[in-house]
Amino acid sequence: MSSKRQSPLTMNENAAQPAKTKAALTLSALGIVFGDIGTSPLYAVKLVFHQEHGITLNHANLLGGISTIFWALMILVTIKYVILILRADNGGEGGIMALTALALSATRGRKRVRWLIASAGLCGTALFFGDAVLTPAISVLSAIEGLEVGVANLEAFVLPTAVCVLLMLFFVQRFGTATVGALFGPITAVWFLTLLISGLHSVVGNPAILAALNPLHALTFVTGHGMASFIVLGAVLLVFTGAEALYADMGHFGRGPIRLAWLGLVFPALTLNYLGQGALLMSEPGAVDNPFYRMFPAWALYPMVVLATAATVIASQACISGVFSLAKQAIQLGYLPRMAVRHTSPEQAGQIYMPAINWLLLAMVLAAVIGFGSSTNLAAAYGVSVSGAMLMDTFIASFVYRFRWHYPLLLCVAGALFFSCIDLAFFSSSLMKIGHGGWFPLVIAAIAMLLMVTWRDGRKLLNKRLLLEESKLDDFLKQLFQHPPIRVSGTAIFMTSKPESTPHALMHNLKHNKVLHERVLFLTVEVLEQPRVGLDQRYYFCQLGHGCFLVKLSYGFMQSPDIAQALRGLDEEHGLRVDPNQASFFLGRENIKPLKSVAGGMAYWRERIFSAMARNASSAVEYFRIPADRVIELGTKIEI
């Protein structure tokens, strides 16, 4: 294969990792990456053979159903994600936002293609948010429902217990995952070993189930029952929920440890457990109400409920952390307004807490748990967002393979069509659930999509309006110093989104205070379409004369701007000493007023949404980490 077709390696894999380091990363990946997909055995099999699908629970259908589960894991997780999509790292980072940025960077100059890629990326992100609401709900509920297997009278305690567990889970987010993170891997390793051993024990008792590894049984199952086969695909897709986490968390662990964990333990454990549940149902069809817990003897039931609850809490934690990370990326790329981002670990930059997202997510998760009441009811809502996001991954990845790595067009089209047909089959099947609760994640995704598109379009419209009122910075300074104002001691820093334009805050300061500091910095923060920017590319510095300087700071979409720290680095990089605790920061804040009569804008109701989002955006002081007692904020009224 030619060198230009090789995908770039992540930073983790460029350097040879010591065996101990790789082993530690692999163990950690078990908890963070595979928590969601690893808890699917709790509910997937019982929902595939649920009586309302109309498929009789007999020998042939059991083989077909388990075979379909196995080959779904093989094709969509092992081949599509572990082998193919994991290659598409963006500077070592993964996830749909990173994949979108990678595809956009490879298709510069192709305007229509870029628009399609950006739209698919936004759609996939919105669908992920919808999925993130249901994942904690269905995982925690399905684990605690094991209480019903042992004692029927405990059914009334399932819902309150699940609510308490979820409240505790979201409450501790503020403390970060650094303290409990070390426990994630070992607990999940015990979980997967338990899946493997229990499944193996059941398979040994009824080895006839091994015939399910024959793909012909899967083909017969998905084609031999008419509409019922199509509907049951919506339940089968539950087995690969969380598959995107393999890709999204690549930046934390590297491609190698994730592949090793999947092929070395997770995939064998899941396969044997699903086979074991099928073997149990061959001998005890009545166990279909909860085949996972029915595999265990009575003495092991309650310990398994505890272990399953711990595993689902870990899976939910990984999902919540993923939402924080994706929301932060969306903010950095200009699709959401600023929100408070708190770093919970001094060592790991990726460990963040976003209060607004956390409490909003909790409210929606509790609404799902209380509204649907059981994992079976939640399963009716589950799957639409998962399959839709996977379809978007396939679409965007095909452009990366074609335009970045220059694979043959025919091969890229054939691969995209193959996986798209499978993704579309699952997505179409999940659409059958809309009337039974599938509308819930779609409504959440639609709202998220509306907000992101409105914010993006609103910022473009706002910048267009500001451009009409702005003057070129060079021309303004030239005119200003023909009759210079009174200069006062100190350093003034004017933050602006456009380095070539005169900040409104500067004009307001001159108008009202009629003075200018002896040293003036015009500071712009730029976020690039790459995960991280090194210090060697962080600064752009230009002297404008008369004690004025232009400074542009570049960050990646995975990084959090730290203005105070960056200003201290100016001395080392460019010989300009700036103490952020002694400088005065002048910030402009737009007071947006939507008008129906203004031509060229958005729909009036979208302008009102944009205005509300702008009003409720987090302060630039906290977001950019500027000393709060050194800030002067000047407002500007803008009509759109």
Side-chain angles (χ1 to χ4, degrees), residues 151-212:
V151 181
N153 292 336
L154 292 179
E155 179 180 355
F157 295 93
V158 170
L159 199 59
T161 304
V163 169
C164 290
V165 170
L166 288 167
L167 285 171
M168 180 182 66
L169 174 64
F170 280 90
F171 179 77
V172 299
Q173 293 303 311
R174 68 180 68 185
F175 304 111
T177 58
T179 304
V180 297
L183 298 175
F184 282 11
I187 291 176
T188 312
V190 171
W191 169 255
F192 281 117
L193 287 173
T194 304
L195 294 183
L196 190 148
I197 294 170
S198 60
L200 181 61
H201 180 268
S202 186
V203 169
V204 169
N206 197 344
I209 192 64
L210 292 174

Side-chain angles (χ1 to χ4, degrees), residues 168-429:
M168 180 182 66
L169 174 64
F170 280 90
F171 179 77
V172 299
Q173 293 303 311
R174 68 180 68 185
F175 304 111
T177 58
T179 304
V180 297
L183 298 175
F184 282 11
I187 291 176
T188 312
V190 171
W191 169 255
F192 281 117
L193 287 173
T194 304
L195 294 183
L196 190 148
I197 294 170
S198 60
L200 181 61
H201 180 268
S202 186
V203 169
V204 169
N206 197 344
I209 192 64
L210 292 174
L213 298 178
N214 186 341
L216 293 178
H217 290 293
L219 186 61
T220 302
F221 184 75
V222 299
T223 59
H225 301 282
M227 182 57 70
S229 293
F230 179 68
I231 294 173
V232 82
L233 286 178
V236 173
L237 67 82
L238 295 171
V239 305
F240 50 80
T241 57
E244 193 174 352
L246 279 72
Y247 180 48
D249 289 317
M250 180 167 57
H252 295 286
F253 305 101
R255 185 186 304 124
I258 291 176
R259 284 178 171 168
L260 180 61
W262 173 257
L263 297 173
L265 177 59
V266 179
F267 185 43
L270 291 175
T271 298
L272 279 171
N273 195 265
Y274 286 126
L275 288 170
Q277 292 187 49
L280 173 67
L281 292 178
M282 277 186 170
S283 10
E284 300 178 37
V288 73
D289 64 322
N290 204 319
F292 176 81
Y293 281 115
R294 297 288 184 190
M295 281 197 300
F296 296 93
W299 62 266
L301 179 61
Y302 295 113
M304 276 308 303
V305 171
V306 173
L307 180 60
T309 302
T312 55
V313 167
I314 291 171
S316 301
Q317 173 63 62
C319 182
I320 295 167
S321 300
V323 172
F324 292 159
S325 178
L326 199 59
K328 177 189 170 186
Q329 293 177 37
I331 292 169
Q332 295 286 71
L333 292 172
Y335 294 116
L336 285 175
R338 289 189 305 267
M339 299 182 199
V341 178
R342 299 176 187 171
H343 292 259
T344 58
S345 170
E347 292 86 18
Q348 299 294 328
Q351 290 188 12
I352 59 174
Y353 169 63
M354 301 180 70
I357 297 293
N358 186 65
W359 302 122
L360 179 61
L361 190 58
L362 171 61
M364 291 189 291
V365 169
L366 291 180
V369 168
I370 296 171
F372 287 94
S374 71
S375 63
T376 301
N377 293 336
L378 272 168
Y382 208 50
V384 182
S385 51
V386 176
S387 54
M390 294 182 74
L391 180 61
M392 296 301 104
D393 282 340
T394 300
F395 176 77
I396 300 170
S398 65
F399 288 97
V400 175
Y401 268 84
R402 173 57 185 160
F403 292 105
R404 188 172 184 86
W405 299 332
H406 307 289
Y407 275 74
L409 177 62
L410 185 60
L411 181 62
C412 293
V413 171
L417 285 176
F418 173 74
F419 288 109
S420 294
C421 287
I422 298 175
D423 291 336
L424 278 171
F426 282 105
F427 181 66
S428 302
S429 175

Side-chain angles (χ1 to χ4, degrees), residues 43-56:
Y43 47 81
V45 173
K46 75 173 182 178
L47 295 170
V48 168
F49 296 110
H50 198 275
Q51 58 184 2
E52 69 180 26
H53 293 151
I55 296 180
T56 306

Side-chain angles (χ1 to χ4, degrees), residues 548-564:
C548 297
F549 306 89
L550 179 64
V551 178
K552 183 164 68 174
L553 303 175
S554 297
Y555 292 88
F557 59 78
M558 291 292 292
Q559 296 173 306
S560 296
D562 190 334
I563 300 300

